[in-house]
Amino acid sequence: MPELPEVETTRKGIAPYVVGEVVKDIVIRERQLRWPIPLELTRSLKSQTIKKLRRRAKYLLFYTDNGCMLLHLGMSGSLRVIDANLPHEKHDHVDIVFESGRSLRFRDPRKFGSILWTEEDPLLHKLIGHLGPEPLSKEFISDYLYLRSRKRTQAIKTFIMDSRIVVGVGNIYANEALYLSGIKPTLKAGRISKARYEKLVREIKNVLARAIEKGGTTLRDFINGEGKPGYFRNELQVYDRKNEACHVCQTPIKMIRLGQRSTFYCTNCQR
DNA sequence: CCCGATTCCTGTAGGC
DNA sequence: TGCCTACAGGAATCGG
């Protein structure tokens, strides 16, 4: 499931093969994703040069002189740079074909991803403008998180997964960061001390940075731009480890449901 | 505003 | 072996 480290890994993997390329054609085999791929995409993107490739939250932004393509991987999406002649397989919904003879191929079995086009500043786009800070930026500090959390009764795990509060922290890394911080996921966000938020912010940054170094986490189908999996799965302390021993105290990891999401924690280390 | 539930989709796993 | 059901989740949207 692509969270921030997986999207960043994808961006790094494809950028060298995409930036500077001229778009020759766009092949759309399935238009109905999370939102329909806009009809104008083909006309607007054709003949354009990809000038830069950035990431904001879990969106990839493909900048051209004409506008910007926004791409979200959803939960099962992946991008690969391939030889344009490589036959497509099931769920290969879109090819961005370049003059060079290579293509950027988007695959997404569950169709939760999206591809959009904007001619405005993409950072002000309807789906992006309201988002909270990047977790790895210097704006994301404990004072901010502490202030936003005051008077909130929501569970801390749900709170840090809210993209209006901070972006990029999905289910895997929320579980991991809370474990590393020693915080029980069900605690009310508004009742957690400033000192504990300092620890939490440190561990969110820490776990995301280490996951990027390892190329992200592959549970089932995540692959990077070169078709390879990520290796952070080996580092996971609680996620997907129901009933397995805590690496610190050997207590079996507990699984509960919180906000319709699987939640894993150590009943001894997290309080 | 806040918060929890619902919704989209399909591959996979588990039960019988 | 094969069928059926439950489940996984990013995040917008809805309802209270």
Side-chain angles (χ1 to χ4, degrees):
Chain A
M1 293 106 233
E3 298 182 30
L4 188 149
E6 291 72 36
V7 179
E8 183 61 20
T9 297
T10 299
R11 189 193 67 77
K12 284 183 178 168
I14 66 174
Y17 305 100
V18 164
V19 176
E21 289 286 329
V22 179
V23 177
K24 184 174 161 188
D25 204 4
I26 296 98
V27 179
I28 301 175
R29 302 184 195 84
E30 171 61 86
R31 191 175 290 277
Q32 194 57 49
L33 303 177
R34 176 71 169 83
W35 289 282
I37 298 173
L39 292 165
E40 62 177 320
L41 178 76
T42 302
R43 176 175 50 78
S44 302
L45 187 57
K46 199 177 272 193
S47 306
Q48 292 295 302
T49 302
I50 308 296
K51 289 292 176 65
K52 52 187 179 184
L53 174 57
R54 292 196 169 160
R55 179 189 59 73
R56 169 72 174 113
K58 297 173 189 168
Y59 288 90
L60 288 171
L61 310 176
F62 297 77
Y63 286 83
T64 75
D65 286 338
N66 216 17
C68 186
M69 179 172 79
L70 286 63
L71 190 150
H72 197 295
L73 295 173
M75 71 162 282
S76 61
S78 60
L79 284 171
R80 289 192 70 180
V81 177
I82 49 144
D83 186 300
N85 295 318
L86 186 72
H88 66 268
E89 296 177 16
K90 199 175 180 185
H91 307 307
D92 287 343
H93 303 314
V94 177
D95 287 354
I96 310 292
V97 186
F98 299 123
E99 299 276 10
S100 66
R102 283 191 290 255
S103 286
L104 179 67
R105 180 163 284 176
F106 177 66
R107 173 180 300 184
D108 186 9
R110 271 160 270 188
K111 298 184 188 172
F112 280 18
S114 52
I115 299 180
L116 299 165
W117 176 259
T118 182
E119 291 173 7
E120 320 262 294
D121 179 352
L123 299 182
L124 302 178
H125 187 273
K126 178 175 180 279
L127 295 173
I128 294 181
H130 67 286
L131 296 173
E134 288 287 328
L136 294 173
S137 72
K138 54 181 194 258
E139 310 159 57
F140 183 60
I141 53 176
S142 59
D143 287 351
Y144 164 81
L145 205 54
Y146 178 78
L147 268 171
R148 292 290 307 259
S149 71
R150 290 309 89 183
K151 303 197 174 164
R152 296 188 76 144
T153 57
Q154 171 181 50
I156 181 63
K157 176 166 177 265
T158 318
F159 178 66
I160 59 172
M161 288 177 68
D162 184 338
S163 61
R164 291 166 300 185
I165 303 300
V166 59
V167 301
V169 183
N171 199 34
I172 296 174
Y173 300 110
N175 278 298
E176 293 297 310
L178 288 168
Y179 172 79
L180 295 168
S181 309
I183 298 171
K184 188 177 173 184
T186 53
L187 293 191
K188 293 186 191 309
R191 307 199 54 174
I192 293 173
S193 72
K194 204 162 192 169
R196 302 196 87 187
Y197 273 112
E198 282 169 23
K199 173 77 170 159
L200 179 56
V201 164
R202 227 173 16 247
E203 295 299 349
I204 288 173
K205 289 176 188 276
N206 173 30
V207 74
L208 293 176
R210 286 190 297 118
I212 291 170
E213 281 175 24
K214 297 275 179 180
T217 300
T218 295
L219 291 171
R220 290 184 191 82
D221 43 19
F222 172 71
I223 51 167
N224 65 22
E226 287 148 359
K228 295 179 181 164
Y231 297 101
F232 196 72
R233 182 172 198 172
N234 303 325
E235 319 279 324
L236 296 179
Q237 301 298 306
V238 286
Y239 184 83
D240 208 21
R241 296 195 64 238
K242 181 182 181 183
N243 294 336
E244 292 177 42
C246 168
H247 289 145
V248 170
C249 72
Q250 316 308 317
T251 303
I253 299 299
K254 185 172 182 180
M255 182 174 106
I256 60 170
R257 299 291 291 181
L258 198 53
Q260 285 68 248
R261 292 288 175 268
S262 301
T263 301
F264 303 87
Y265 69 103
C266 173
T267 55
N268 179 50
C269 297
Q270 293 172 259
R271 291 162 190 271

